[in-house]
Amino acid sequence: AHAATTAAAAAASSSFERQEAWIGQLKIQTSNFRMLRGVIKQRFLGEGIASHDKYARQVRRIISSHVGEVYGRLLDTMTQTVLLLNQAADPISRGAGSHWCTKSTDRSSNEYDIEVNATLLENTEELRSLLDQSQRQFAQAVQEATLLVLQHRACSKPQLAHLARRMTSFHSLFTSVRNVLKYLDERALHANGHADIATDAEVNPDDGKGTRTAHLRQRCCGAMTRPFAPVIEALRSQWLWHDTLNRRLALKTAVGLLLASLFVSWDYLWEVTDPFGFWPGLTIASVNLANRGSSFHKASDRLFGTVLAAAYAMLIADLFPPNQDVITIASIGIFTFGAIYLRNKDHAYKYTYAATSIGSMSYGSVQNNVDVYGYVPKRIQLIFVGVIMFAIIELLVFPRSSQTILERNIMDFFSNVEEVIEVARKYAVDLSSYIQCCEANDVERPLMDDDNATETGSVAELPSFDSLRSSMKQLSDTAATLMKEVSPALKEPYFGFAQRLRPAPILGIVRESASIQLQLSSFLDSLERLSRVLVPHQDDTDDHQQLQLQQEATCDQIKKRSSERTLACNTAISAYSCWAQVYSRLLEKVSIQMQLCCDNLRIAYPDGHLRPQNCNTLEAIASAASFRDLDSVRLEILSIWGDHFMEMGNKQSTSAATILSPNQLMMLGITVSHLLETCRHIQKAGKGLEEYARTFPPQATQSL
């Protein structure tokens, strides 16, 4: 029995871990699917004008002819794999069979796991093969479509925009498939129990015995420390006192219950409230939540539900004779049905509390022989007292306004966006300088060693991405704060002393802030990958190429190979340096406009809060209207990017599509599409700011 219990507990723990891991994987996939949905629904500027001409149809035909069949099979296999992983992670559907597991449903959990793992293994191999084929064929399609577009300059820019959007959509899909494959590999290793052995074997494949010994030692240490795992985890975790929200909630609840205890500890108050002196304490404990808006929302629902149930209970008591259980129970059932049936998600607690209160109100307190007329008024009074005590503590003792936090963080968010774009511009400038330095020091002597490098001067270091990550983390934290505070801020009571929040524009701004954060994060990831693609990694290839040169038969062959490699590096690095300069120009356009918009916002809102102040209605509208100019910036970005793409094909001896590899072409299109989408969402956020500023008090009223 002990062994069976242990096995059941281990199976439950494994099922929970599998479900938690799959939920984490789905959260990772969210950004890819959001990007995929965005590029499918959105049309870049200028693309819609020429979306149905012959060149656009020809580009789509090229992509479809290369990846059409394989792409469809990839989607089908991906869908089947995800659905099967959903069933495998769901404990309810385990053993219940599926469309791809055709055996009898009457089988044990182990048999089900074996069948699922076998099916997933088949899908994994097929998915990996289809992904490789799709990537190769799409790369060929991109090269062929790029050559077609460059040959017809009349409609090149709209078609380049279409290509950039197609690159982004396929890249999002490929990334999501790679994430699923990575999860499947980790799942297979975990299921077999050989994850540590496989990792050690990859590092040191010849030391099998030592690997098994190390793995056995690790398992023994894990078994010895497992009973103390909760204590160790508690000691390693951050102390809850550092969490300001939980600390404030605990303090205000403790103070509120301390005051409410006077109703049962002070003789005078107990004589007044006997035997219901506990109701103020229950009310304070019930409505106290982490933020002000949600707390007041629940307090008002509790008070309204109490009054609603009290009115109904007294009505029934007046209409029908007392002590009629059949009538009382029927009336309770009718009221409960109506309250639950009319319940909505915004005020669910109001109707639920009314339904749970009607029974005690109809019967009063049976043990204390209190009828409806003695119980109902006392309950309303004491719950009202509890709400008043809670409001005093919330507003005066521990004040914290979600509306104020939201207004400040909206302004901080736009400042963070400005900072991220400016840091990205500096990174692109440094990257261009680094590539030019590589061209000046390395390309003239491709086989130059370290000694020769120090004689000619030090090569500039590759710019670091740390400052960009730090700025992006601040922006992500601000966006997360906006998402967390917007709902409580909209629920806060309005006392007439400040501007009332308008849900539509505020929710639009917060929604666009999440999209901006996603697009900027994707843009920075693409920029980092693009920097790895554009930077000439000659250190990795020189050794291999030197070995090939040394194996040549004659000195003439060595000279010929060296000159060819020098020419190729010269042409490629020149193209790389130009593209780094292009992205610095694009980011400069966006940075200048964002700096102008943020400066206008700082003038309109000098205290850093998005609210009416100092008769700023006109300044607020004008500052928000400056975001409209991002429309022109998007057109300039697409124009500069398209012009340079076509110009590079004309300046070099061959076309741009042959100078750059398919991977480089993909990264160029993906990066510019992320930048265009970032500008579009910033522009939409500015539109929300303008709508909200138009709700401010008129200038004449403020002057009076």
Side-chain angles (χ1 to χ4, degrees):
H2 177 71
T5 305
T6 305
S13 176
S14 176
S15 176
F16 176 76
E17 292 176 356
R18 181 165 50 245
Q19 187 177 24
E20 192 176 34
W22 178 237
I23 292 174
Q25 175 63 28
L26 292 177
K27 290 180 180 178
I28 295 174
Q29 297 281 25
T30 303
S31 60
N32 296 322
F33 289 126
R34 283 180 180 174
M35 177 57 61
L36 185 60
R37 182 183 61 183
V39 296
I40 290 175
K41 295 172 60 177
Q42 175 64 17
R43 295 294 184 270
F44 290 158
L45 294 174
E47 182 184 350
I49 300 175
S51 59
H52 300 291
D53 63 4
K54 62 178 182 179
Y55 299 117
R57 292 194 299 269
Q58 201 165 354
V59 168
R60 289 194 289 268
R61 192 180 302 114
I62 290 173
I63 297 176
S64 177
S65 63
H66 279 81
V67 300
E69 181 180 357
V70 179
Y71 179 68
R73 291 167 55 197
L74 177 67
L75 289 179
D76 291 340
T77 308
M78 177 71 171
T79 304
Q80 294 178 5
T81 304
V82 170
L83 291 177
L84 192 57
L85 286 171
N86 279 335
Q87 285 192 340
D90 186 4
I92 298 178
S93 64
R94 287 177 57 80
S98 66
H99 179 72
W100 296 279
C101 297
T102 56
K103 291 185 178 181
S104 174
T105 58
D106 185 15
R107 60 188 186 278
S108 64
S109 178
N110 290 333
E111 293 175 349
Y112 179 80
D113 287 340
I114 293 173
E115 185 176 355
V116 167
N117 291 333
T119 308
L120 285 175
L121 182 61
E122 296 176 1
N123 285 2
T124 301
E125 298 302 326
E126 184 178 3
L127 196 64
R128 184 173 284 109
S129 175
L130 291 173
L131 177 63
D132 294 338
Q133 295 179 38
S134 299
Q135 287 179 321
R136 288 196 303 268
Q137 294 181 6
F138 183 69
Q140 296 174 1
V142 167
Q143 257 189 327
E144 187 175 339
T146 304
L147 289 173
L148 173 68
V149 171
L150 291 177
Q151 291 173 2
H152 303 87
R153 297 179 60 89
C155 296
S156 293
K157 291 181 183 178
Q159 304 315 322
L160 287 175
H162 177 75
L163 268 179
R165 191 168 59 83
R166 284 298 184 97
M167 293 174 187
T168 307
S169 63
F170 275 88
H171 174 74
S172 301
L173 177 64
F174 293 157
T175 304
S176 127
V177 174
R178 282 194 293 269
N179 289 337
V180 170
L181 286 173
K182 181 180 178 181
Y183 172 79
L184 287 171
D185 293 339
E186 294 175 353
R187 186 180 186 276
L189 289 174
H190 181 73
N192 295 329
H194 297 305
D196 295 333
I197 297 178
T199 304
D200 293 338
E202 291 177 1
V203 177
N204 191 3
D206 298 329
D207 192 9
K209 182 177 179 180
T211 300
R212 288 191 297 270
T213 303
H215 180 65
L216 181 61
R217 187 184 302 112
Q218 183 178 3
R219 294 188 63 181
C220 292
C221 294
M224 294 174 63
T225 58
R226 190 175 294 114
F228 306 100
V231 179
I232 296 174
E233 184 178 358
L235 292 175
R236 289 179 177 176
S237 61
Q238 189 179 18
W239 195 28
L240 292 179
W241 182 260
H242 298 289
D243 190 343
T244 56
L245 286 179
N246 285 333
R247 182 180 62 203
R248 176 178 175 273
L249 176 61
L251 288 174
K252 70 176 185 175
T253 305
V255 173
L257 292 179
L258 177 64
L259 296 178
S261 65
L262 297 176
F263 286 88
V264 295
S265 61
W266 191 4
D267 293 339
Y268 172 74
L269 292 178
W270 177 249
E271 291 177 1
V272 174
T273 61
D274 182 34
F276 307 114
F278 55 86
W279 276 112
L282 287 179
T283 302
I284 292 175
S286 175
V287 303
N288 248 333
L289 299 177
N291 46 68
R292 178 186 297 179
S294 300
S295 298
F296 271 97
H297 185 76
K298 190 173 183 179
S300 62
D301 283 356
R302 185 181 182 91
L303 191 59
F304 183 86
T306 302
V307 173
L308 183 64
Y312 181 81
M314 297 184 72
L315 177 65
I316 296 299
D318 288 337
L319 292 178
F320 300 98
N323 300 325
Q324 297 292 329
D325 291 340
V326 175
I327 296 176
T328 304
I329 293 174
S331 62
I332 291 174
I334 293 173
F335 182 84
T336 302
F337 171 80
I340 299 301
Y341 182 76
L342 296 175
R343 181 177 58 182
N344 58 66
K345 63 178 182 179
D346 294 330
H347 297 277
Y349 182 71
K350 173 172 62 179
Y351 296 97
T352 303
Y353 187 73
T356 57
S357 301
I358 187 62
S360 60
M361 289 184 179
S362 297
Y363 278 99
S365 180
V366 178
Q367 296 179 354
N368 296 281
N369 296 321
V370 180
D371 59 3
V372 173
Y373 298 101
Y375 179 83
V376 169
K378 188 75 69 175
R379 178 163 179 167
I380 295 176
Q381 292 172 11
L382 295 178
I383 289 180
F384 179 74
V385 169
V387 170
I388 294 299
M389 294 173 63
F390 148 76
I392 293 174
I393 295 172
E394 180 72 34
L395 296 174
L396 301 180
V397 182
F398 299 101
R400 180 186 181 274
S401 174
S402 296
Q403 178 175 347
T404 303
I405 295 174
L406 183 72
E407 292 170 347
R408 184 179 65 249
N409 277 273
I410 288 177
M411 298 295 296
D412 292 342
F413 179 80
F414 287 104
S415 298
N416 291 337
V417 172
E418 177 192 11
E419 180 183 358
V420 170
I421 294 176
E422 176 61 21
V423 174
R425 184 195 66 81
K426 293 179 180 178
Y427 176 83
V429 171
D430 294 340
L431 180 65
S432 175
S433 301
Y434 174 78
I435 296 175
Q436 291 176 357
C437 192
C438 290
E439 180 181 2
N441 289 276
D442 293 337
V443 173
E444 294 178 358
R445 288 180 295 277
L447 301 180
M448 180 179 60
D449 54 11
D450 294 338
D451 296 334
N452 292 331
T454 51
E455 291 177 1
T456 57
S458 60
V459 179
E461 294 183 357
L462 183 66
S464 174
F465 219 76
D466 295 338
S467 58
L468 262 176
R469 293 192 184 96
S470 176
S471 302
M472 192 64 210
K473 185 179 183 305
Q474 293 180 2
L475 186 142
S476 301
D477 293 341
T478 307
T481 303
L482 290 177
M483 294 296 295
K484 183 174 64 175
E485 296 291 342
V486 62
S487 180
L490 293 175
K491 293 178 181 177
E492 282 193 6
Y494 178 65
F495 299 109
F497 300 112
Q499 168 76 10
R500 182 192 292 270
L501 290 179
R502 307 296 178 179
I506 290 297
L507 288 174
I509 293 171
V510 175
R511 185 169 52 250
E512 293 303 326
S513 69
S515 300
I516 292 169
Q517 186 266 334
L518 174 64
Q519 295 291 342
L520 263 181
S521 178
S522 301
F523 170 74
L524 295 183
D525 292 340
S526 302
L527 186 63
E528 187 176 13
R529 290 195 213 99
L530 184 65
S531 66
R532 292 197 296 265
V533 170
L534 294 182
V535 171
H537 300 283
Q538 293 184 353
D539 295 338
D540 299 333
T541 58
D542 280 346
D543 295 338
H544 176 67
Q545 292 178 348
Q546 286 182 15
L547 181 61
Q548 289 183 343
L549 290 174
Q550 292 174 1
Q551 293 176 352
E552 298 291 343
T554 62
C555 205
D556 294 337
Q557 291 176 330
I558 295 177
K559 293 180 180 180
K560 182 179 179 181
R561 175 67 69 83
S562 178
S563 61
E564 291 176 355
R565 187 162 61 90
T566 302
L567 180 61
C569 289
N570 201 349
T571 304
I573 294 180
S574 177
Y576 301 154
S577 176
C578 292
W579 274 113
Q581 293 176 0
V582 167
Y583 276 99
S584 65
R585 286 179 59 196
L586 301 183
L587 288 168
E588 183 180 7
K589 296 286 185 182
V590 183
S591 178
I592 292 174
Q593 184 59 40
M594 276 303 302
Q595 185 178 1
L596 176 63
C597 295
C598 291
D599 288 342
N600 292 336
L601 289 178
R602 296 185 189 101
I603 295 174
Y605 307 98
D607 67 344
H609 290 77
L610 187 71
R611 59 190 179 191
Q613 50 189 290
N614 303 326
C615 301
N616 67 333
T617 302
L618 296 179
E619 291 84 355
I621 296 175
S623 63
S626 62
F627 284 87
R628 297 181 181 183
D629 294 335
L630 283 167
D631 200 0
S632 302
V633 173
R634 292 162 60 199
L635 285 172
E636 290 184 39
I637 289 174
L638 189 58
S639 177
I640 293 172
W641 188 85
D643 286 342
H644 184 75
F645 199 90
M646 293 180 292
E647 182 183 356
M648 191 172 62
N650 296 330
K651 290 176 65 175
Q652 307 296 338
S653 59
T654 181
S655 67
T658 55
I659 292 176
L660 302 176
S661 66
N663 186 30
Q664 293 165 342
L665 288 173
M666 284 276 291
M667 292 312 304
L668 290 176
I670 291 168
T671 309
V672 75
S673 65
H674 286 318
L675 185 58
L676 288 170
E677 284 295 281
T678 299
C679 295
R680 185 176 71 88
H681 287 292
I682 295 174
Q683 185 179 354
K684 292 181 68 176
K687 183 179 179 181
L689 285 176
E690 186 174 355
E691 292 178 2
Y692 184 62
R694 292 184 182 278
T695 65
F696 289 0
Q699 199 83 21
T701 304
Q702 290 182 356
S703 300
L704 293 177

